[in-house]
Amino acid sequence: TGATAAAMPHNANKAAEYGEEGARCPYTGAQSTPPDPSVGASSLSESEANEKTGGPAAPGVNALDGRLGRVRADGSGQVLTTNQGVPVADNQHSLKAGLRGPALLKDFILREKITHFDHERIPERIVHARGSAAHGFFECYRPLTDLTAASLFAEKGKRTPVFVRFSTVAGERGSKDTARDVRGFAVKFYTDEGNWDLVGNNMPVFFIQDAMKFPDLVHAVKPEPHHGMPQAASAHDTFWDFVSLMPESTHMLLWVMSDRAIPRSYRMMQGFGVHTFRFVNASGESRLVKFHWTPILGTHSQVWDEAVKVSGADPDFHRRDLWEAIDAGKGPEWELGVQIFTEEEAEGFSFDVLDATKIVPEELVPIVPIGRMVLDRNPDNFFAETEQVAFCTAHVVPGVDFTNDPLLAGRIHSYVDTQISRLGGPNFHELPINAPIAPVHNNQRDGMHRQTIHRGRVAYEPNSLAGGCPFQAGMDGFVPFPEPIAGDELRGHPEKFAEHYNQATLFYNSQTDWEKQHIVHAFSFELSKVTVPAIRQRMVASLRNVSDELAQQVADQLGMALPEPLPRAIAQPPKPEVEVSPTLSLTARPGDGGVATRKVAILVAEGVDEGAVSAVADALMQAGAVVRLVGQRIGPVQTEGGGMLDADASLDNHPSTLFDGAVVPGGEAAVARLQADGRALEFLRDAYRHGKTLLGLGRGGQLFGSAGIAPDEADEGLLMGGGAPAKSAAAFIKALAKHRHPERETMPPMV
Ligand code: HDE
């Protein structure tokens, strides 16, 4: 029909009105066969029992994948339609009364398109607005039935699909990835007994002890309300005003001012459940539990100057990193570990395990690995999956229960509540990304955007008309742990909550020297942005209760005298069990020692030594690293021997902050060109200053001298190779696996 229509005037009776041939005919798009009604059809029907009954997926099979497949749509080879499935003839022009006349109200196609567009945005999350997510699975190492009835921990090798979203906290949806901030680490387990959301962070403690203070904390850290600044940053008056008046936040401040707050990658950070939870076994016995995710790649971070520069060079740095690694088949993996202890043990601790500003040191209760999580599939659609996923701390399964942590109590309410306005009603659990794999049957009905078509006339229980169905599961269902409660109704907190500094000191004293320096620098930087001197004073006074060494250095950096320590809430703080915990240093978890997915730049210019480039590139790629040839511009580069290389990145579009290491090959002419290019010198200076692994081959070494970088035998990450490039490459790979060489840092930087 398309061909015939194209040859004919749109309205044979009014041919003259349509002007020249071609202007008048709406049927200009390619015509194709009508859409296949089965593609993209959404079915949440209960009758598809095989899809909804769950059960352990076969190893290697993600049960969620099949379920989401039923709602995927793909327009390839399909005709364009309205939302009612009516084929659209012309997607270029609105309907007008005459070519130069007014658009017509009856153009339902235009109106539908624009109306839908007008409503494309939903409210962003009030916190954790910016995030990235991926699919994967959790695999249980061994049955944990003695500890918990949770079905995902029932058998060795059992796999449960997961969807995991990482996020920053303070920034808006379009803000940068590399802000100094806490990172969210939210895991949705689609277990065969319902969804369990473990909504954690990359730091094991929190700023506040009680949910009552959460809106205040968030209002303080978000952009200041009068002018909406600063974006995705805590370095401003209102944040420091609030936290300096809340000594309970001090321990968390130490974490946030450490390099934990500027991770190299989502793939290289730990995750923590933060609160103390409960495991409950089938006999109703309960143990207290803390959850820990440990990345196989180790814990690695950026340095501040680098994070600042990356935020300009690639605001999507972490999103891209996660996406590319999964795309390349090298998805990240974490081990899940638990600290298990009894209530009696907890009572003996010098701190309260219901206080989310405290950790349970590993020296006190070791971490036992119980399973692993692999992220192996990127979402198909950012909005449908990453944006619409709704994590709720209230989503627990039989075998997992809460404690009376007063921060957790507020969260159990908040997350469900926020989804109702964010996702537009109480049926957000039916969105494909949120729908459990386990069957859903109850008498909840109706509400905005209801998908399920409930059959029958019974929507109540007890009933006889439906044979009593759906019926209560009894002891097979979720039975809350019968914790005895005694006490008067009152507002207040337990005694141990009043000790605010012991673990901040523990954290500071457990860091390496360079980590301590980064903490000093972070406090100094953030407080230097505060405009009211009294806030700075108060914060430094508080730091005196953590460490005089820390407080003195920060005071020096701020050009102020050391104030008197802030009065403590309790005069005689309890003596902590553990005073140094080396596991709190980033260096405690160096990773698997490999360089897979690490990014390396090889600087090339006309006249580069091609043999050296290929020897190093081959060795790096064999080790799994990602190699980019960075030229003065992208495109072909003639080599010393007359060959051709293709520079796939340039000094402009790929500054050194986007790489983990850099190599400068020889080739006299190439080195001379780079010596005359300020961008190449800046590239090396930044890479050096940020502790990256560097290799100069042959004359390539001279470029370092031009950049002001002196050879240093003691620096393991600064290699000058005079011999065979392959041998130098091996040394480079070994140094790259160490991630960074912070020992070379000086304050102020000398390069
Ligand atoms: Fe959240 N938090 N939070 N939070 N949180 C939200 O829920 C809240 C807290 C965390 O990727 C919101 O769906 C309260 C601690 C993550 O979608 C909201 C309190 C921890 C995410 C909310 C806390 C977290 C959120 C905003 C104190 C670490 C992102 C949108 C009582 C254990 C989840 C949403 C995702 C998101 C409330 C404190 C982690 C408003 C009231 C402690 C990872 O419901």
Side-chain angles (χ1 to χ4, degrees):
T1 56
T4 336
M8 283 172 48
H10 184 48
N11 181 339
N13 297 329
K14 303 186 82 180
E17 240 184 61
Y18 290 92
E20 287 172 24
E21 182 75 32
R24 66 190 173 204
C25 180
Y27 294 103
T28 46
Q31 306 294 302
S32 68
T33 46
D36 172 354
S38 68
V39 172
S42 160
S43 163
L44 292 174
S45 161
E46 298 290 355
S47 65
E48 288 175 53
N50 55 339
E51 293 274 9
K52 298 276 279 179
T53 44
V61 175
N62 191 323
L64 189 65
D65 201 16
R67 196 173 55 81
L68 293 179
R70 293 183 293 135
V71 289
R72 283 197 188 106
D74 182 352
S76 46
Q78 305 296 324
V79 76
L80 188 79
T81 72
T82 65
N83 285 336
Q84 303 309 314
V86 176
V88 174
D90 178 349
N91 191 33
Q92 321 302 323
H93 305 102
S94 50
L95 186 64
K96 305 174 199 85
L99 278 182
R100 301 186 63 247
L104 298 176
L105 189 61
K106 72 175 180 181
D107 186 354
F108 65 91
I109 294 179
L110 171 75
R111 286 179 46 223
E112 180 197 83
K113 185 174 177 179
I114 298 283
T115 303
H116 196 275
F117 169 78
D118 292 342
H119 299 274
E120 271 179 12
R121 286 292 167 274
I122 60 171
E124 67 173 36
R125 292 165 173 83
I126 163 73
V127 282
H128 298 265
R130 180 165 179 84
S132 301
H135 293 274
F137 63 85
F138 172 77
E139 184 178 288
C140 179
Y141 282 165
R142 61 192 159 78
L144 293 183
T145 39
D146 54 328
L147 287 174
T148 171
S151 72
L152 76 163
F153 300 125
E155 292 163 42
K156 176 178 170 31
K158 179 165 180 174
R159 286 190 173 187
T160 298
V162 297
F163 189 64
V164 181
R165 183 173 180 271
F166 304 106
S167 46
T168 55
V169 180
E172 290 165 8
R173 190 152 55 191
S175 58
K176 60 199 178 189
D177 278 348
T178 55
R180 172 177 293 285
D181 201 350
V182 186
R183 297 299 185 286
F185 193 124
V187 181
K188 190 180 280 293
F189 296 91
Y190 302 86
T191 91
D192 42 26
E193 288 192 326
N195 287 356
W196 172 33
D197 294 350
L198 184 56
V199 197
N201 278 344
N202 74 331
M203 297 175 194
V205 287
F206 202 63
F207 294 97
I208 48 169
Q209 298 169 321
D210 192 310
M212 194 70 150
K213 299 308 301 167
F214 190 67
D216 301 290
L217 168 72
V218 175
H219 290 171
V221 73
K222 281 273 179 180
E224 298 191 9
H226 56 312
H227 55 21
M229 293 188 277
Q231 180 58 240
S234 53
H236 58 113
D237 286 69
T238 56
F239 176 72
W240 289 99
D241 183 29
F242 177 76
V243 292
S244 64
L245 291 166
M246 293 285 292
E248 70 197 48
S249 65
T250 315
H251 185 199
M252 181 64 165
L253 287 176
L254 266 287
W255 284 82
V256 179
M257 293 302 116
S258 80
D259 291 353
R260 303 269 175 169
I262 41 173
R264 158 66 180 82
S265 157
Y266 289 139
R267 302 178 292 131
M268 299 172 197
M269 58 185 205
Q270 282 171 284
F272 302 92
V274 177
H275 311 280
T276 302
F277 289 88
R278 274 179 195 287
F279 266 163
V280 185
N281 67 17
S283 319
E285 294 156 350
S286 161
R287 250 35 96 65
L288 299 177
V289 55
K290 289 250 177 196
F291 295 104
H292 298 250
W293 295 106
T294 303
I296 300 303
L297 292 173
T299 46
H300 301 293
S301 284
Q302 300 188 313
V303 293
W304 176 242
D305 183 65
E306 179 188 12
V308 168
K309 288 172 177 165
V310 168
S311 71
D314 186 2
D316 306 308
F317 188 68
H318 288 145
R319 179 174 290 183
R320 193 180 313 283
D321 168 90
L322 180 66
W323 182 276
E324 286 180 351
I326 293 174
D327 221 28
K330 296 195 175 115
E333 180 175 336
W334 284 262
E335 190 161 67
L336 179 63
V338 286
Q339 288 176 295
I340 302 281
F341 46 97
T342 62
E343 313 236 11
E344 293 70 40
E345 285 168 323
E347 264 168 41
F349 297 159
S350 64
F351 51 89
D352 198 321
V353 298
L354 300 185
D355 174 356
T357 69
K358 307 291 187 332
I359 58 165
V360 178
E362 288 179 45
E363 290 74 9
L364 208 54
V365 181
I367 298 177
V368 184
I370 60 171
R372 67 185 189 114
M373 177 171 79
V374 178
L375 299 184
D376 56 4
R377 188 161 64 78
N378 280 316
D380 288 302
N381 183 280
F382 188 89
F383 180 82
E385 300 176 81
T386 308
E387 195 60 18
Q388 293 202 113
V389 66
F391 292 96
C392 301
T393 36
H395 295 168
V396 288
V397 290
V400 180
D401 209 336
F402 313 115
T403 58
N404 291 328
D405 175 338
L407 192 69
L408 180 58
R411 296 183 71 202
I412 294 166
H413 161 72
S414 172
Y415 290 67
V416 178
D417 187 40
T418 203
Q419 311 309 345
I420 292 172
S421 69
R422 195 172 73 83
L423 297 171
N427 290 318
F428 62 86
H429 63 281
E430 290 188 328
L431 290 168
I433 194 65
N434 296 325
I437 285 171
V440 176
H441 298 285
N442 58 41
N443 295 311
Q444 295 171 31
R445 289 292 183 271
D446 309 345
M448 292 283 196
H449 317 304
R450 182 50 105 174
Q451 306 283 305
T452 312
I453 302 172
H454 293 104
R455 303 182 68 196
R457 56 177 164 162
V458 171
Y460 54 88
E461 198 278 334
N463 68 66
S464 68
L465 294 179
C469 293
F471 51 87
Q472 296 180 150
M475 291 308 283
D476 290 337
F478 181 88
V479 180
F481 178 70
E483 188 176 351
I485 305 283
D488 298 337
E489 235 178 61
L490 78 178
R491 296 186 191 271
H493 57 62
E495 199 183 323
K496 287 183 198 166
F497 276 47
E499 197 293 303
H500 302 313
Y501 293 106
N502 275 349
Q503 291 202 352
T505 307
L506 168 68
F507 182 79
Y508 183 72
N509 287 344
S510 304
Q511 306 298 302
T512 58
D513 285 346
W514 60 266
E515 285 172 302
K516 286 182 179 167
Q517 278 314 303
H518 290 188
I519 292 171
V520 169
H521 184 253
F523 271 109
S524 310
F525 171 82
E526 296 259 324
L527 291 172
S528 75
K529 292 277 201 171
V530 167
T531 62
V532 177
I535 297 175
R536 271 184 240 144
Q537 289 269 345
R538 193 164 56 227
M539 196 58 234
V540 178
S542 179
L543 290 183
R544 287 206 61 183
N545 294 330
V546 180
S547 154
D548 265 340
E549 174 193 285
L550 168 65
Q552 182 68 63
Q553 291 184 78
V554 175
D556 289 348
Q557 290 295 315
L558 294 171
M560 61 186 251
L562 199 59
E564 285 301 305
L566 208 68
R568 288 172 183 255
I570 38 176
Q572 293 290 318
K575 197 175 152 35
E577 297 81 354
V578 179
E579 293 191 0
V580 175
S581 174
T583 59
L584 296 176
S585 160
L586 276 168
T587 58
R589 293 180 169 87
D592 59 7
V595 298
T597 72
R598 295 298 161 86
K599 289 196 162 176
V600 178
I602 303 183
L603 297 194
V604 295
E606 298 285 331
V608 68
D609 175 352
E610 182 175 358
V613 173
S614 45
V616 174
D618 288 352
L620 279 165
M621 287 192 290
Q622 227 160 33
V626 179
V627 178
R628 307 291 298 265
L629 300 187
V630 180
Q632 292 178 293
R633 52 146 174 76
I634 59 162
V637 175
Q638 189 153 32
T639 65
E640 198 172 30
M644 278 294 182
L645 286 174
D646 187 23
D648 58 351
S650 73
L651 292 167
D652 274 337
N653 77 11
H654 268 77
S656 74
T657 45
L658 303 183
F659 295 98
D660 296 296
V663 179
V664 186
E668 197 174 337
V671 173
R673 279 174 190 276
L674 293 175
Q675 279 173 318
D677 188 333
R679 297 169 305 172
L681 303 177
E682 194 175 287
F683 190 101
L684 287 191
R685 278 190 207 112
D686 267 351
Y688 178 83
R689 202 197 275 186
H690 302 151
K692 310 227 168 128
T693 307
L694 297 166
L695 169 64
L697 290 167
R699 278 180 187 268
Q702 294 176 1
L703 193 62
F704 291 86
S706 310
I709 303 167
D712 180 359
E713 295 274 299
D715 187 337
E716 290 181 333
L718 183 60
L719 306 164
M720 294 299 149
K727 204 169 151 223
S728 302
F732 178 78
I733 290 170
K734 201 166 151 227
L736 186 66
K738 296 191 83 171
H739 182 68
R740 291 294 162 93
H741 305 278
E743 299 78 13
R744 75 165 71 119
E745 283 177 8
T746 55
M747 197 59 190
M750 290 195 302
V751 170

